[in-house]
C-alpha cells in the first residue's frame, strides 16, 4: 500500500438536518425523505439503498408531508401552505400551488392515486384532482361542528399532579373498519369505527408516540416514539389452530437517540427517521429471501455525494454547508516519525474564508479550482463565480458579475486540471464549458442532452490532460465527450445500477466507474471498450465481502507515479486497488493485515492481493492525494454530530 503522510481533518463542522417525513413507493421501490431544511432525497432501495436524487432545501419550505401518487409522481406540502410536485428527471420543482387553507400538516393520496387530500390548519380538508400536468382543486371539506358519526375520545395524560390534554399524532384506517391511533400519552389504541368504541390499548412509552405506518397487506404496522424507539406490531392468530387474529406488539428496536418523527413500512423492512438525522432501514428477516446485503441493517447519515473539494496546489479544502462555504488551509509539520505516529503540527490549519450565500435557497454544489484561484457554487436560481487573490497571509475575493442565466441550478461543477476551464452540468441536461482567463470568463460550448431527453447530469469527471469529459445522469448511463473537438465521443454500455463515483486516469485515459452494487469497471476512452483488467474482474468476480459493503464509493482518484493503482473510498474504508496483483477469491482474507516484517518474501507474495484496505478513518467524507506521499482525510465523527443536536428525552436508567 505504501506509506503516506495523512492530514487527518476533523474541523468540517457539518451537521445533517433532521428527518421530518418519509414516503415509500411500492411500484418503484423508492423512498422519498424530507429534512427539516426543506431538502428532499430519493433513495433507490433496489440499488443498494443509494441516494440517487435530491432536491435542495429552502428556508421558507418546512415540509410536513410527502406523498407518492399516480404511479411515480411525488408531492410535498408544508407550513407555507403550498403543495409542490417534483420533476424526477430534471431534478427541480415543477410547480407550487397554494391550497388557501394556511399551513398544511398532512397529505394523502386516494387508493387509485388519482386524487390528493390535504389537511390544513384552518380545519379544512381539501381535495385535488391529479391531472397529467398538474393538480386541480376539486372540493373543500369544511370543519364539521356537528353531525359527526362517532366521536372517539382518548384519555388525558397525567404529568405529575397536573393534567394535560392528550394529542393524537397519527391515525390509520384499516379496510376492516379498525382505526389505530397514536398519541402523546404514549399509547397505541385500536378503535371500532362502526361503534366508535375503544377495543384495545397498548401503553408503549413514557413519551409521545409520534408516527405510524401500516403495511400494504395490513398484517403489520410500525410506530415511532419520542424516546427513539421503534415498535413493530403484527396481526397473529390467537391460538395455533384459530382463525381469529389479534394485534400483538412483537419487536422493539432502539436505533435512534432522539425523536422518531416518521416511519414507513416496505414489504421487507421497517424504515424510520427523526431528529438524530439517521435514516434507519431495518429488514424484516422473515421477509428477506436471500441473506445478502439486503438483509443488513442500514443507518444512513451522510449524503451520497461529496460536499468537499480540494486545491492540491495550495493545499486548500472547500467545505459546503447549506447556506455558506468555508475555505481552509491545511496545517503542516516538520517532524518525522515511524508508521502510525501522530506528528505535532508546526503550523495549524487556517480558516481563510467564510462565504455566505444570499437568499433562502440552499447551495446545490460547489467547487474550488486545483490552483486555488477560483470558487464556483450554485443555488436553484443563481450561479456564482469568484476570483481569489493571495498576498502573503491575506486573501481577497472578487465576484465575477453577470453570469448567464443558463448556468443557474447547476447540479455539478468541475474545473479542469490546469484551472483554465469550468464544466457545469445544468438540471436541464446540458453540459456547459466555460473558458477562464484572468478575472473573466467566456462561454465556449454546450453539449445538449441526447435524443431530446431532459436527463439531469449528476456526476462529472475530466481527464488530467483536459481532452475528455465524462458525465453520468440520473439513470445508469455515462457519456464521454471530446472537449477539443466539442462532440460526443462514446457512450459506456448501460448498466442496471446507478453510478456513485467516477474518474479518468492520467496517461491511459481509462475511465473508472463505481456503481451502487459495489461493482467497479474500467473503460478505455480511446479504445471505446472495457480494459483487459476490467474484463478479468467481471469474469472472476469481486470478493463477497466487498460486494456486501453497505455504503457507496463516493470518490475515486489515482497515484501520479503508480499507474496500476486505483484509490477509492466510501464512508467506512479507504482502498487502493493494485491492478498488477491477483484478485482475492472468497477463500482469501479481503481485509488482509500486512504480514509481519520478519516473514519471508515467499509468504508475502502468497498473501498479497490487489485490495489494500484501511478502516482507520471513519466516517470518511473525503479522501484524496495531495502529492505523491501525502493524503488528506476528512472525518466527521458521529459523536460530534450528536453533541450539537438538542438533548433527547431523559430516560431513567436502572440504579440511578
Amino acid at each position: 500500500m505504501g506509506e503516506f503522510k495523512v492530514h487527518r481533518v476533523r474541523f468540517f463542522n457539518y451537521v445533517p438536518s433532521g428527518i421530518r417525513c418519509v414516503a415509500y413507493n411500492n411500484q418503484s421501490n423508492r423512498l422519498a425523505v424530507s429534512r427539516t431544511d426543506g431538502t428532499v432525497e430519493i433513495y433507490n432501495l433496489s440499488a443498494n439503498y443509494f441516494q440517487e436524487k435530491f432536491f435542495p432545501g429552502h428556508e421558507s419550505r418546512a415540509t410536513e408531508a410527502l406523498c407518492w401518487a399516480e404511479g411515480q409522481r411525488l408531492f410535498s406540502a408544508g407550513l407555507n401552505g403550498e403543495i409542490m410536485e417534483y420533476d424526477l428527471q430534471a431534478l427541480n420543482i415543477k410547480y407550487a400551488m397554494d391550497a388557501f387553507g394556511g399551513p398544511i400538516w398532512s397529505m394523502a393520496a386516494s387508493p387509485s392515486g388519482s386524487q390528493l387530500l390535504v389537511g390544513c390548519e384552518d380545519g379544512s380538508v381539501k381535495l385535488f384532482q391529479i391531472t397529467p400536468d398538474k393538480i386541480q382543486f376539486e372540493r373543500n371539506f369544511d370543519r364539521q361542528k356537528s353531525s359527526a358519526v362517532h366521536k372517539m375520545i382518548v384519555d388525558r395524560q397525567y404529568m405529575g399532579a397536573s393534567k394535560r390534554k392528550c394529542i393524537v399524532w397519527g391515525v390509520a384506517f384499516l379496510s376492516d373498519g379498525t382505526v389505530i391511533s397514536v398519541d402523546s400519552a404514549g399509547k397505541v389504541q385500536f378503535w371500532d369505527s362502526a361503534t366508535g368504541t375503544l377495543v384495545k390499548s397498548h401503553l408503549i412509552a413514557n413519551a409521545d408516540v409520534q408516527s405510524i405506518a401500516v403495511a400494504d397487506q395490513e398484517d403489520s404496522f410500525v410506530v415511532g416514539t419520542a424516546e427513539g424507539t421503534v415498535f413493530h406490531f403484527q396481526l397473529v392468530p390467537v391460538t395455533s389452530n384459530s382463525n381469529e387474529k389479534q394485534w400483538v406488539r412483537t419487536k422493539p428496536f432502539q436505533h435512534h437517540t432522539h425523536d422518531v418523527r416518521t416511519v414507513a413500512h416496505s414489504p421487507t423492512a421497517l424504515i424510520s427517521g427523526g431528529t438524530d438525522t439517521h435514516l434507519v432501514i431495518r429488514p424484516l428477516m422473515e421477509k428477506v429471501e436471500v441473506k445478502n446485503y439486503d438483509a443488513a441493517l442500514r443507518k444512513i447519515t451522510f449524503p451520497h455525494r461529496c460536499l468537499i473539494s480540494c486545491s492540491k496546489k495550495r493545499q486548500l479544502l472547500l467545505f459546503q454547508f447549506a447556506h455558506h462555504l468555508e475555505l481552509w488551509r491545511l496545517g503542516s509539520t516538520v517532524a518525522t516519525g515511524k508508521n502510525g505516529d501522530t506528528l505535532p503540527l508546526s503550523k495549524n490549519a487556517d480558516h481563510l474564508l467564510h462565504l455566505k450565500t444570499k437568499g433562502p435557497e440552499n447551495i446545490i454544489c460547489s467547487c474550488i479550482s486545483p490552483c486555488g484561484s477560483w470558487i464556483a457554487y450554485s443555488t436553484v436560481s443563481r450561479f456564482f463565480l469568484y476570483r481569489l487573490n493571495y498576498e502573503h497571509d491575506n486573501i481577497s475575493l472578487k465576484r465575477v458579475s453577470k453570469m448567464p442565466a443558463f448556468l443557474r441550478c447547476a447540479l455539478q461543477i468541475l474545473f479542469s486540471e490546469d484551472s483554465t476551464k469550468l464544466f457545469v452540468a445544468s438540471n436541464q441536461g446540458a453540459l456547459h464549458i466555460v473558458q477562464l482567463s484572468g478575472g473573466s470568463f467566456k462561454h465556449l460550448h454546450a453539449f445538449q442532452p441526447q435524443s431530446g431527453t431532459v436527463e439531469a447530469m449528476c456526476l462529472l469527471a475530466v481527464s488530467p490532460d483536459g481532452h475528455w469529459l465524462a458525465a453520468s445522469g440520473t439513470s445508469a448511463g455515462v457519456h464521454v465527450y471530446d472537449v477539443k473537438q466539442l462532440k460526443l465521443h462514446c457512450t459506456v454500455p448501460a448498466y442496471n445500477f446507478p453510478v456513485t463515483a467516477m474518474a479518468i486516469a492520467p496517461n491511459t485515459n481509462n475511465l473508472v466507474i463505481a456503481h451502487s452494487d459495489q461493482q467497479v469497471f474500467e473503460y478505455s476512452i480511446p479504445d471505446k471498450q472495457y480494459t483487459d483488467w476490467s474484463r478479468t474482474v467481471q469474469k472472476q468476480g469481486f470478493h463477497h465481502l466487498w460486494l456486501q459493503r453497505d455504503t457507496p464509493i463516493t470518490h475515486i482518484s489515482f497515484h501520479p507515479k503508480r499507474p496500476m493503482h486505483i484509490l477509492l473510498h466510501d464512508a467506512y474504508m479507504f482502498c487502493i486497488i493494485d491492478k498488477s496483483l491477483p484478485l482475492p477469491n472468497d477463500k482469501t482474507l479481503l481485509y488482509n493485515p500486512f504480514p509481519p516484517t520478519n516473514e519471508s518474501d515467499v509468504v508475502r507474495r502468497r498473501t498479497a492481493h490487489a485490495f489494500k484496505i484501511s478502516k482507520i478513518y471513519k466516517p470518511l467524507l473525503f479522501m484524496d492525494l495531495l502529492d505523491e506521499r501525502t493524503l488528506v482525510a476528512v472525518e466527521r465523527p458521529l459523536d460530534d454530530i450528536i453533541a450539537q443536536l438538542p438533548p433527547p428525552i431523559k430516560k431513567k436508567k436502572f440504579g440511578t
Side-chain angles (χ1 to χ4, degrees):
M1 194 171 190
E3 287 190 0
F4 296 97
K5 184 187 291 184
V6 180
H7 290 269
R8 197 166 184 177
V9 173
R10 290 191 170 188
F11 46 76
F12 181 28
N13 194 27
Y14 171 72
V15 179
S17 295
I19 294 174
R20 183 60 194 92
C21 44
V22 298
Y24 174 71
N25 187 317
N26 202 12
Q27 293 184 20
S28 63
N29 198 24
R30 282 174 169 80
L31 182 74
V33 176
S34 75
R35 296 187 179 267
T36 53
D37 67 348
T39 300
V40 173
E41 303 161 343
I42 309 294
Y43 292 83
N44 187 342
L45 304 194
S46 299
N48 201 8
Y49 305 87
F50 178 59
Q51 184 191 110
E52 63 180 4
K53 303 173 184 180
F54 83 99
F55 300 86
H58 192 284
E59 283 183 349
S60 67
R61 289 203 304 262
T63 303
E64 287 293 325
L66 278 175
C67 181
W68 295 93
E70 277 287 312
Q72 298 186 36
R73 292 174 66 178
L74 179 64
F75 299 87
S76 75
L79 300 185
N80 62 356
E82 291 181 338
I83 305 170
M84 295 186 297
E85 183 176 359
Y86 297 87
D87 189 328
L88 300 182
Q89 290 299 315
L91 297 188
N92 60 12
I93 294 172
K94 277 187 180 180
Y95 58 86
M97 176 182 289
D98 197 325
F100 295 102
I104 299 173
W105 291 97
S106 58
M107 179 170 56
S110 63
S112 65
S114 60
Q115 293 173 311
L116 205 63
L117 291 103
V118 297
C120 303
E121 190 164 277
D122 65 359
S124 66
V125 175
K126 299 180 187 298
L127 179 66
F128 292 83
Q129 187 73 30
I130 300 175
T131 64
D133 299 320
K134 212 172 181 181
I135 59 173
Q136 182 176 333
F137 176 76
E138 189 167 321
R139 64 174 299 185
N140 191 64
F141 299 93
D142 290 324
R143 185 173 182 175
Q144 297 294 307
K145 296 181 180 179
S146 61
S147 74
V149 177
H150 292 295
K151 186 176 183 180
M152 295 172 271
I153 303 176
V154 295
D155 295 332
R156 292 177 179 269
Q157 174 187 10
Y158 285 91
M159 298 294 292
S162 64
K163 227 178 197 183
R164 196 177 72 177
K165 205 176 263 189
C166 184
I167 301 170
V168 176
W169 287 117
V171 173
F173 200 114
L174 306 187
S175 57
D176 66 356
T178 301
V179 175
I180 309 172
S181 67
V182 296
D183 58 44
S184 60
K187 299 188 300 294
V188 176
Q189 295 184 308
F190 298 85
W191 308 80
D192 186 337
S193 64
T195 60
T197 56
L198 178 65
V199 177
K200 194 169 184 180
S201 180
H202 291 264
L203 180 63
I204 64 170
N206 294 319
D208 300 47
V209 184
Q210 297 180 314
S211 48
I212 180 171
V214 182
D216 285 346
Q217 293 77 17
E218 296 188 355
D219 58 354
S220 76
F221 68 89
V222 57
V223 298
T225 75
E227 296 174 329
T229 310
V230 171
F231 290 93
H232 186 207
F233 285 77
Q234 290 178 285
L235 191 61
V236 298
V238 175
T239 61
S240 58
N241 298 321
S242 173
N243 291 325
E244 184 183 354
K245 294 184 178 181
Q246 65 179 355
W247 286 103
V248 176
R249 188 183 74 189
T250 56
K251 303 182 189 78
F253 304 112
Q254 186 78 41
H255 299 303
H256 295 275
T257 58
H258 291 63
D259 299 41
V260 179
R261 299 293 303 273
T262 179
V263 290
H265 198 314
S266 81
T268 59
L270 308 179
I271 302 164
S272 56
T275 308
D276 65 2
T277 78
H278 302 310
L279 176 65
V280 176
I281 302 171
R282 171 87 189 197
L284 298 171
M285 298 306 295
E286 65 271 19
K287 302 282 188 179
V288 178
E289 297 179 0
V290 181
K291 300 299 186 285
N292 57 9
Y293 55 59
D294 286 332
L297 172 76
R298 294 291 199 289
K299 184 179 280 191
I300 302 170
T301 306
F302 301 103
H304 293 166
R305 64 187 190 278
C306 196
L307 301 175
I308 302 161
S309 59
C310 176
S311 167
K312 298 181 181 181
K313 181 179 178 181
R314 291 188 179 270
Q315 303 217 335
L316 304 174
L317 290 177
L318 183 69
F319 298 143
Q320 177 183 320
F321 297 84
H323 293 283
H324 75 276
L325 303 173
E326 290 183 5
L327 184 64
W328 289 75
R329 181 188 288 123
L330 293 170
S332 58
T333 183
V334 294
T336 58
K338 62 181 183 296
N339 187 27
D341 286 351
T342 300
L343 304 179
L345 288 175
S346 57
K347 186 177 181 181
N348 291 326
D350 291 330
H351 184 189
L352 301 178
L353 184 67
H354 182 100
L355 183 59
K356 183 172 174 58
T357 184
K358 296 179 180 179
E361 298 172 341
N362 283 18
I363 297 173
I364 302 175
C365 58
S366 61
C367 192
I368 186 170
S369 63
C371 69
S373 298
W374 299 93
I375 287 178
Y377 74 92
S378 178
T379 66
V380 169
S381 62
R382 302 182 75 182
F383 184 89
F384 298 86
L385 180 64
Y386 290 89
R387 174 76 170 176
L388 282 72
N389 292 309
Y390 302 86
E391 294 181 7
H392 305 294
D393 290 335
N394 297 323
I395 182 171
S396 61
L397 192 69
K398 183 179 180 182
R399 181 182 165 190
V400 179
S401 60
K402 298 181 180 178
M403 299 302 296
F406 54 74
L407 292 181
R408 68 186 181 189
C409 202
L411 297 177
Q412 186 73 297
I413 304 169
L414 187 64
F415 288 90
S416 61
E417 192 85 358
D418 61 4
S419 302
T420 62
K421 289 186 178 66
L422 176 65
F423 304 98
V424 181
S426 77
N427 72 326
Q428 296 301 314
L431 298 174
H432 300 279
I433 304 177
V434 176
Q435 180 77 42
L436 302 174
S437 59
S440 62
F441 76 97
K442 179 184 177 183
H443 185 255
L444 294 181
H445 187 72
F447 295 112
Q448 296 301 328
Q450 303 299 309
S451 305
T453 61
V454 184
E455 184 190 23
M457 294 295 171
C458 301
L459 285 173
L460 297 178
V462 63
S463 61
D465 60 10
H467 193 165
W468 309 107
L469 175 68
S472 172
T474 52
S475 67
V478 178
H479 304 296
V480 180
Y481 298 90
D482 189 325
V483 176
K484 294 184 178 179
Q485 298 187 23
L486 300 178
K487 66 177 184 179
L488 177 66
H489 175 70
C490 63
T491 298
V492 179
Y495 188 66
N496 293 331
F497 290 84
V499 178
T500 66
M502 61 183 184
I504 302 175
N507 303 320
T508 62
N509 282 326
N510 289 336
L511 173 64
V512 178
I513 307 170
H515 293 269
S516 65
D517 64 342
Q518 311 299 356
Q519 295 290 341
V520 178
F521 296 91
E522 186 181 53
Y523 187 85
S524 172
I525 294 176
D527 297 336
K528 299 184 182 181
Q529 63 181 6
Y530 290 111
T531 65
D532 292 340
W533 178 82
S534 188
R535 295 178 190 276
T536 301
V537 168
Q538 293 308 307
K539 184 177 180 180
Q540 179 176 331
F542 284 106
H543 197 284
H544 71 283
L545 292 179
W546 176 267
L547 297 176
Q548 288 174 11
R549 291 172 21 259
D550 61 3
T551 54
I553 294 167
T554 52
H555 190 258
I556 301 173
S557 58
F558 306 94
H559 196 289
K561 300 294 185 182
R562 298 172 187 167
M564 298 301 286
H565 286 190
I566 301 172
L567 287 68
L568 44 82
H569 75 84
D570 62 17
Y572 295 99
M573 69 92 204
F574 168 63
C575 176
I576 296 179
I577 301 177
D578 187 344
K579 296 187 294 180
S580 66
L581 293 175
L583 294 169
N585 56 42
D586 283 350
K587 297 180 181 179
T588 309
L589 288 173
L590 176 65
Y591 303 104
N592 195 2
F594 298 114
T597 54
N598 58 358
E599 285 201 25
S600 67
D601 289 338
V602 176
V603 175
R604 286 174 180 270
R605 284 194 297 269
R606 190 170 66 240
T607 58
H609 58 67
F611 286 73
K612 303 297 184 291
I613 296 173
S614 170
K615 290 191 172 185
I616 297 174
Y617 314 102
K618 56 187 177 182
L620 186 57
L621 299 191
F622 179 79
M623 196 163 201
D624 201 0
L625 275 172
L626 293 176
D627 55 46
E628 300 172 25
R629 306 292 297 171
T630 311
L631 284 167
V632 58
V634 180
E635 299 172 274
R636 187 62 177 138
L638 295 178
D639 290 345
D640 293 353
I641 293 176
I642 296 296
Q644 297 187 51
L645 297 177
I649 289 178
K650 187 175 182 180
K651 290 182 285 188
K652 183 176 177 61
K653 295 183 180 180
F654 178 77
T656 61

